[in-house]
Amino acid sequence: MKADPAVQRRLLELADIDAELSRVEHRRRTLPELAEIATAELSVRHKRDAQVAIQTTLTDLDREVKRQEKEIDAVRAREDRDRSLLTEGTVSAKQLTDLEHELATLQRRQSALEDDLLELMERREAVELDGQRSGVELAKAEEALADAQRRRDEALADLETTQARRDAERAKLVPEIPEALLRLYDRVRASKGIGAAPLRARRCGACRLELDRAAISRIASAPADEVVTCEECGAILVRTPESGL
């Protein structure tokens, strides 16, 4: 394949552009903020789950407190009724004994229920404190997530700016390169990663390997407009005054 040496040197500009575009794409996939966000999202999800669990526990405790209070009210009402009967003095001796026994039983029952209610209230208070602490932790986790997302968006915006600039430069440069040479360049770049590189000090700028005497002799004797490639990596070798030929 033949191509004007000046056109071949334009391939180095294209290779520089494509190398930066590749770096942009690699950085876009490997931004450290992406890992931070994944970790922060997991933390937020766990802390939200903890909040839901705490709220569920509080709801269950509130329901149990209401049930306990209702039962205490029922015992007190029964006790008031019995005391009213005793006060009225309209019961027989046997009924009086039964009422006194029932009142004693009701008092013991009320005392036990009130102790249980106090324990429930203490448990609820402890769970509520856990909820407050959990809420603070959730707020911190959400703040950390928002910060990581903000930094990711800023980094992506910078990468988008770089890509747009380099895409414009590439679009302007590509029409200046013959179609056959561009196809060769794109084919090599697709398979090897680098389509063209300078031959510098007898070393391939793509694979960094030093060419042997036979390869150097072949390249040195080739016409300036002949397109030569590296025998090791296949990259188009662009000859410059630094090639060492």
Side-chain angles (χ1 to χ4, degrees):
M1 182 181 297
K2 302 287 187 179
D4 186 275
V7 172
Q8 293 187 44
R9 287 192 291 274
R10 300 308 299 273
L11 285 180
L12 297 181
E13 298 177 38
L14 183 60
D16 285 342
I17 292 172
D18 286 337
E20 185 164 9
L21 287 173
S22 295
R23 289 193 296 271
V24 165
E25 183 58 31
H26 175 74
R27 178 154 172 74
R28 183 181 285 117
R29 294 193 309 267
T30 59
L31 283 173
E33 289 81 6
L34 296 178
E36 284 186 52
I37 289 172
T39 300
E41 286 176 338
L42 184 61
S43 177
V44 167
R45 187 158 57 249
H46 286 166
K47 286 175 170 53
R48 283 177 179 167
D49 290 345
Q51 281 284 82
V52 170
I54 288 172
Q55 190 57 52
T56 300
T57 301
L58 285 174
T59 300
D60 292 342
L61 286 171
D62 286 341
R63 184 168 53 248
E64 185 64 19
V65 165
K66 289 180 181 179
R67 187 192 67 78
Q68 203 80 354
E69 289 175 338
K70 185 176 180 180
E71 191 168 351
I72 290 173
D73 289 342
V75 170
R76 285 173 178 168
R78 183 69 177 269
E79 186 179 352
D80 290 342
R81 190 204 67 174
D82 288 355
R83 288 189 187 281
S84 177
L85 289 173
L86 286 175
T87 302
E88 291 174 358
T90 58
V91 296
S92 64
K94 182 179 184 306
Q95 289 176 320
L96 179 62
T97 301
D98 290 342
L99 284 172
E100 289 175 343
H101 180 269
E102 184 174 283
L103 278 171
T105 301
L106 289 172
Q107 288 173 351
R108 289 194 298 272
R109 176 62 177 158
Q110 181 178 334
S111 178
L113 288 171
E114 287 174 345
D115 288 344
D116 290 344
L117 179 59
L118 179 60
E119 182 181 346
L120 282 172
M121 298 298 289
E122 289 174 346
R123 283 176 56 196
R124 192 193 185 288
E125 183 178 356
V127 172
E128 195 169 22
L129 287 174
D130 287 342
Q132 292 172 1
R133 287 192 291 266
S134 178
V136 171
E137 292 177 0
L138 174 59
K140 289 181 180 178
E142 289 175 335
E143 183 179 350
L145 174 58
D147 177 65
Q149 290 172 331
R150 175 186 56 76
R151 287 185 284 111
R152 175 205 59 190
D153 292 344
E154 290 175 353
L156 287 176
D158 289 342
L159 292 174
E160 289 294 338
T161 299
T162 300
Q163 180 169 351
R165 174 172 55 81
R166 286 307 213 171
D167 281 342
E169 292 174 357
R170 193 180 200 280
K172 183 178 180 181
L173 179 59
V174 163
E176 301 177 14
I177 300 173
E179 185 175 343
L181 181 60
L182 185 61
R183 280 200 306 269
L184 174 62
Y185 168 86
D186 286 337
R187 185 169 64 249
V188 174
R189 185 169 70 93
S191 62
K192 303 297 183 179
I194 299 177
L199 175 62
R200 184 177 290 116
R202 303 191 177 194
R203 190 178 296 273
C204 172
C207 63
R208 307 297 180 182
L209 294 178
E210 185 174 353
L211 277 62
D212 60 26
R213 290 180 179 274
I216 290 296
S217 177
R218 174 179 61 83
I219 293 172
S221 61
D225 63 348
E226 183 173 337
V227 176
V228 297
T229 58
C230 174
E231 295 179 349
E232 296 294 332
C233 68
I236 297 172
L237 288 175
V238 179
R239 286 164 282 181
T240 71
E242 299 177 349
S243 295
L245 298 176

